[in-house]
Amino acid sequence: MLVKRSLVPLLAALCLVLVLSGPAGAQDTVTLTVWDNFTREAEQEMIEALHAEFEAAHPGVTIVRESYETSDLTALLPLALSETTGPDVAMINQGIANMGALVQAGLLLPLDDYAEQYGWLDRYAEGLHRRNRFTEGGEQFGEGNLYGVSNTAEVVGLYYHRDIFEEHGLSIPTTFEEFESLAQTLIDAGVTPIVFGSLDGWPAIHEYGALQNVYATLEELDALIFRFEDGTFDTEANLQAAQKLVEWVNNGYFSEGFEGMDYDNATTSAFVNRQGAMWLTGSWMSGTLVEQLDEESVGFFLLPDLEGSEVPLATGGVGLAYGIRATSEHADLAAEYIDLMTGPRAAELLFEQGYLPAVAVDEELLTEGTLTADVVHAWEAISANDKVGHYLDWTIPYDEIVASLQELLGGQITPEEFVAQVQTVYEESAE
Amino acid sequence: MQSLFRRIRVDGNKPYVRAYHPYLFLLPGFVIYLVFVLLPIAGTLRYSFYDWTGFSEPIYIGIDNYRRLLSDRDFWQALSHNFFFSIFYTILPIMLGLFLTSLLTRSRLRGLAVFRTGLFIPQIMSPVVVGIIWRWMFQLDGPINQMLNTFGLGHLARPWLGDFTFAPVAVGIVGTWVEYGLAMVLFIAGAQAIDEDLYDAAKVFGANALQQFWYVTLPGLRQQILVAFVITFIASLRIFDLVFVLTRQGGPGKATTVASILIYQEAFQRNRAGYASAMAVILTLIIVTISGIVIYLQSRSDQQEAL
């Protein structure tokens, strides 16, 4: 009896709470929920400015935004997008394990009609749009429907201290051979050519990828990444790249003790403190370097290829892509929002924030001889000439490729074993 | 718990009734436990029989996940790393804890509380903070290598966390640093409960400090050692955060990959939540079995002693 008596008011109170918290005041207003990865404080102003413009143009529309670090965003999205209360617009990471899995689960809306309506396909090269393409059901990567549009870009190349180059009478190399002789000059002078740290794992993907771009063709790499029928890791080019990487390690191209250096602290400070002439990493560091060093003291160039092509293949791509939840009730509005966030107005603001926008930057905003101009030009060159190479972890499980590269760098396995090992993982992960 | 099952007298004239309202006070806690612990465990067990990405429609595949697990070299290798780490998480902390206990309790030490608190701090620090501190300690130009250079041992300096031979030891040492405080505090509390007369008696029979420790302190701490063993051993099988911060995916290569890291990678990076669940179930079974055996053996030897 005691139980019953004490529970009745409790249950009544509970019911009341439930009734009160039910849908209220959802008549005229529309709420557009957006999940992005703009978590830095300086970025808030930029996003809020764009949101204010959007809301002013659409009376009654309120944008509710949630920001997450990329890794959190990636982990949370699958569940969030399966809910009918999930985000209408979300920034999605590319690759089979991320966007691919979401398409497979039917959680994303194909954007092809909107792309035509707003002219999104003209914003940047088709080779880059492919990274946001999957066939219906997510069977094939790199073809089929468009599931996202990006507003930022990145390119992996070499930052260099201009004065160290001058001191040793060096100029930007135009062939791979020239690059290696440049590195040898530095080594002979007791200067570490390339700062590098492999403790965090992923930077090794970029060093190897750069060498892969030297030896492989884009067709080979496309087949590997998008898993076309002839896609394989077991190629002569991949073996050559692995052999060259080991050679570089043995010849002292990289920082001493690179195995124990992390990226954010050890490697970054090694470059900033001039403990090496160059740094082979992505354009995402240019903002930090401009902040910490003089904008004119550092430059950026792409690792040249064997033939000395004017625009060599370079790893890069477009950043996280805006996509729409398949079950969103406000898809049209969401598309309009994406149009704003990936358009020229957003590009200008992104550029001010130190981002490399996916769309071309107004030349007037650039000053020749600065790091920013170097980076923008490098990106525009590979983007316009369809010379954008891929990140290996889009198709090979991240932990496996990183472990294999660390084993290769540490001399635990030979280049031949490395290629065989990665090929096995590539085949196994096809299931 | 005993009082809950006792019949209490509600009214002088009425017979004894079983009191149930104490259970009501347990209810909120139990509901939380049910929702956040028991149900997820049941869910994990269920999904271990499914092919499931974590958000797709689960497909029942019987014991396929387990069959595949049997021949998964990575998983058994990761487990063997867990057992390697248990040397650093369990054996060394218990030995260190015993040593510190005998130092701190048998001698009249000034500022005992300061030492005890100071030595316990690593245990209460967030593992992520511990990891970040030690990542810096192990750096090439970090304090450990600097110290080696100072003592003329510069040839031993190395990138600890990136070295295939020494990374497991380096990660293990951090584990020891975290866990010894727990063992020590348990042992100090236990040692204070040991009858001082026993030490006096031992002294009368001419026992030196080492013999006193061996014949009085150690047997007196048996229960505490057992508790420390079970807690730290479970911790060594569950390691995740320290490795995740120190060597990321368990590098270099797979030298420090442990079971939980593998479970995380399978579930959240490769979208194989069903397979990851099977791994989690096996890991749980191993933990429960080993803890169970230890506790059973201990209670049996206690009974034999009582007879």
Side-chain angles (χ1 to χ4, degrees):
Chain A
M1 282 308 114
L2 182 78
V3 183
K4 222 173 189 174
R5 222 178 320 142
S6 60
L7 276 186
V8 167
L10 192 73
L11 283 172
L14 194 68
C15 292
L16 197 65
V17 168
L18 286 175
V19 167
L20 288 178
S21 63
Q27 296 91 358
D28 299 83
T29 58
V30 171
T31 305
L32 192 71
T33 311
V34 178
W35 283 22
D36 63 25
N37 72 340
F38 294 106
T39 51
R40 289 197 335 226
E41 207 180 309
E43 293 163 353
Q44 308 313 309
E45 244 174 83
M46 159 184 87
I47 299 292
E48 272 156 30
L50 290 166
H51 282 191
E53 284 173 26
F54 191 79
E55 285 174 345
H58 300 82
V61 172
T62 316
I63 300 175
V64 176
R65 169 171 162 259
E66 287 181 42
S67 298
Y68 299 91
E69 295 286 342
T70 306
S71 55
D72 294 340
L73 186 67
T74 307
L76 290 171
L77 267 183
L79 281 179
L81 290 173
S82 8
E83 298 291 328
T84 46
T85 51
D88 298 290
V89 179
M91 289 183 88
I92 296 147
N93 208 347
Q94 282 95 349
I96 290 172
N98 297 305
M99 188 184 278
L102 296 175
V103 173
Q104 243 170 41
L107 301 177
L108 294 178
L109 195 71
L111 304 179
D112 300 82
D113 293 344
Y114 293 123
E116 201 171 320
Q117 185 184 337
Y118 292 105
W120 290 341
L121 293 183
D122 302 330
R123 293 238 166 104
Y124 45 82
E126 171 57 24
L128 296 167
H129 284 300
R130 287 178 84 167
R131 288 139 187 249
N132 293 325
R133 285 191 188 282
F134 282 92
T135 53
E136 193 82 45
E139 300 286 303
Q140 178 65 55
F141 183 22
E143 287 176 352
N145 300 336
L146 188 72
Y147 285 98
V149 190
S150 311
N151 58 1
T152 59
E154 52 194 47
V155 50
V156 176
L158 290 139
Y159 293 96
Y160 68 103
H161 288 287
R162 291 186 203 269
D163 59 335
I164 298 184
F165 269 39
E166 269 163 39
E167 196 182 314
H168 298 278
L170 303 169
S171 55
I172 293 175
T174 52
T175 65
F176 187 67
E177 206 186 332
E178 271 180 49
F179 177 80
E180 286 201 298
S181 80
L182 176 148
Q184 195 55 51
T185 310
L186 289 166
I187 293 168
D188 294 343
V191 179
T192 303
I194 302 173
V195 301
F196 168 53
S198 67
L199 182 59
D200 289 323
W202 59 265
I205 296 177
H206 301 162
E207 317 300 288
Y208 179 73
L211 286 168
Q212 226 186 349
N213 294 332
V214 169
Y215 294 103
T217 63
L218 186 57
E219 290 69 43
E220 267 179 78
L221 295 177
D222 278 350
L224 172 74
I225 296 294
F226 298 132
R227 289 179 176 271
F228 295 146
E229 232 159 73
D230 54 342
T232 171
F233 193 81
D234 192 4
T235 64
E236 188 55 31
N238 288 341
L239 179 62
Q240 282 174 318
Q243 284 164 338
K244 187 53 85 178
L245 188 65
V246 173
E247 193 190 309
W248 278 14
V249 170
N250 295 336
N251 288 353
Y253 271 50
F254 298 127
S255 310
E256 200 198 329
F258 65 85
E259 302 97 320
M261 285 166 65
D262 70 348
Y263 186 83
D264 287 336
N265 298 308
T267 314
T268 307
S269 69
F271 184 74
V272 170
N273 297 325
R274 310 158 58 78
Q275 287 161 4
M278 297 176 279
W279 186 11
L280 179 50
T281 190
S283 51
W284 54 85
M285 286 313 291
S286 66
T288 308
L289 292 179
V290 166
E291 249 168 57
Q292 300 201 7
L293 296 162
D294 182 21
E295 155 119 288
E296 271 127 46
S297 70
V298 183
F300 184 84
F301 65 91
L302 301 173
L303 183 66
D305 60 13
L306 296 168
E307 298 86 32
S309 316
E310 200 179 324
V311 182
L313 199 56
T315 307
V318 282
L320 265 60
Y322 282 99
I324 301 178
R325 175 166 55 87
T327 51
S328 170
E329 285 166 22
H330 314 297
D332 291 345
L333 195 65
E336 217 173 316
Y337 174 83
I338 292 178
D339 187 55
L340 174 72
M341 299 307 281
T342 59
R345 168 88 181 111
E348 213 173 290
L349 293 176
L350 281 164
F351 181 71
E352 275 171 28
Q353 285 301 323
Y355 276 97
L356 182 57
V359 296
V361 175
D362 191 348
E363 277 294 323
E364 280 174 22
L365 294 171
L366 301 172
T367 318
E368 277 314 309
T370 61
L371 176 59
T372 315
D374 279 5
V375 171
V376 170
H377 289 147
W379 162 252
E380 286 175 357
I382 62 166
S383 169
N385 292 288
D386 227 342
K387 288 278 198 176
V388 189
H390 306 278
Y391 296 102
L392 275 175
D393 55 318
W394 279 0
T395 196
I396 297 161
Y398 171 80
D399 47 298
E400 294 284 356
I401 183 67
V402 162
S404 294
L405 280 169
Q406 285 179 335
E407 283 164 8
L408 179 71
L409 289 164
Q412 303 285 308
I413 52 173
T414 64
E416 288 79 11
E417 285 166 342
F418 167 78
V419 171
Q421 191 168 308
V422 176
Q423 174 65 16
T424 309
V425 172
Y426 182 67
E427 284 166 16
E428 277 174 4
S429 59
E431 305 158 18
Chain B
M1 290 300 276
Q2 237 169 6
S3 65
L4 290 177
F5 299 96
R6 203 182 58 200
R7 279 160 189 273
I8 56 168
R9 211 174 155 85
V10 176
D11 181 304
N13 297 323
K14 287 184 182 162
Y16 289 99
V17 292
R18 186 176 280 267
Y20 50 79
H21 45 267
Y23 290 105
L24 287 179
F25 292 105
L26 288 178
L27 195 64
F30 179 73
V31 168
I32 292 171
Y33 189 68
L34 182 78
V35 172
F36 292 105
V37 179
L38 295 181
L39 288 180
I41 289 178
T44 304
L45 186 63
R46 181 182 156 228
Y47 285 120
S48 72
F49 296 104
Y50 286 81
D51 182 6
W52 185 50
T53 62
F55 44 92
S56 61
E57 197 62 43
I59 302 162
Y60 181 77
I61 52 166
I63 59 164
D64 276 10
N65 281 332
Y66 291 96
R67 207 176 286 153
R68 189 159 128 205
L69 202 53
L70 279 181
S71 56
D72 187 339
R73 231 182 102 244
D74 283 346
F75 181 68
W76 300 108
Q77 193 193 30
L79 264 183
S80 78
H81 293 155
N82 281 105
F83 284 100
F84 171 78
F85 283 134
S86 66
I87 299 170
F88 291 92
Y89 267 69
T90 306
I91 316 255
L92 288 180
I94 287 177
M95 285 166 59
L96 207 58
L98 285 171
F99 175 70
L100 288 169
T101 305
S102 57
L103 277 189
L104 294 175
T105 55
R106 297 310 298 160
S107 49
R108 296 281 160 261
L109 202 58
R110 273 174 176 275
L112 172 69
V114 176
F115 285 108
R116 210 169 40 197
T117 314
L119 291 168
F120 189 62
I121 281 178
Q123 170 71 28
I124 53 171
M125 268 161 68
S126 148
V128 175
V129 174
V130 170
I132 291 171
I133 292 172
W134 279 90
R135 220 170 192 237
W136 173 73
M137 298 270 288
F138 282 126
Q139 263 184 18
L140 202 64
D141 54 359
I144 290 175
N145 284 334
Q146 278 173 16
M147 211 162 67
L148 288 171
N149 284 327
T150 311
F151 290 115
L153 296 168
H155 59 285
L156 293 178
R158 61 190 71 241
W160 295 96
L161 292 173
D163 189 297
F164 277 84
T165 313
F166 287 97
V169 179
V171 173
I173 287 171
V174 183
T176 306
W177 190 73
V178 170
E179 297 293 344
Y180 81 88
L182 175 79
M184 180 194 72
V185 164
L186 278 171
F187 299 161
I188 288 179
Q192 281 162 350
I194 298 173
D195 197 337
E196 199 63 25
D197 291 349
L198 290 173
Y199 288 103
D200 294 338
K203 278 181 214 157
V204 168
F205 285 106
N208 61 28
L210 198 66
Q211 286 167 326
Q212 285 176 37
F213 173 77
W214 190 256
Y215 292 107
V216 182
T217 312
L218 209 53
L221 289 178
R222 263 187 39 186
Q223 282 304 325
Q224 284 75 20
I225 293 173
L226 174 76
V227 171
F229 179 85
V230 172
I231 293 178
T232 56
F233 187 70
I234 291 175
S236 76
L237 290 179
R238 291 174 40 184
I239 319 170
F240 177 81
D241 23 31
L242 266 187
V243 170
F244 195 68
V245 176
L246 286 169
T247 57
R248 302 296 186 209
Q249 89 289 353
K254 292 175 183 172
T256 58
T257 305
V258 286
S260 310
I261 290 280
L262 216 53
I263 291 170
Y264 166 80
Q265 286 167 350
E266 289 290 343
F268 301 108
Q269 288 180 348
R270 299 203 196 174
N271 300 323
R272 296 200 289 218
Y275 189 51
S277 298
M279 286 183 173
V281 169
I282 295 292
L283 184 62
T284 309
L285 283 180
I286 291 172
I287 291 174
V288 169
T289 309
I290 294 179
S291 316
I293 290 172
V294 173
I295 292 168
Y296 170 75
L297 289 178
Q298 181 70 25
S299 68
R300 208 177 59 168
S301 74
D302 280 351
Q303 278 166 5
Q304 278 169 349
E305 221 159 74
L307 286 175

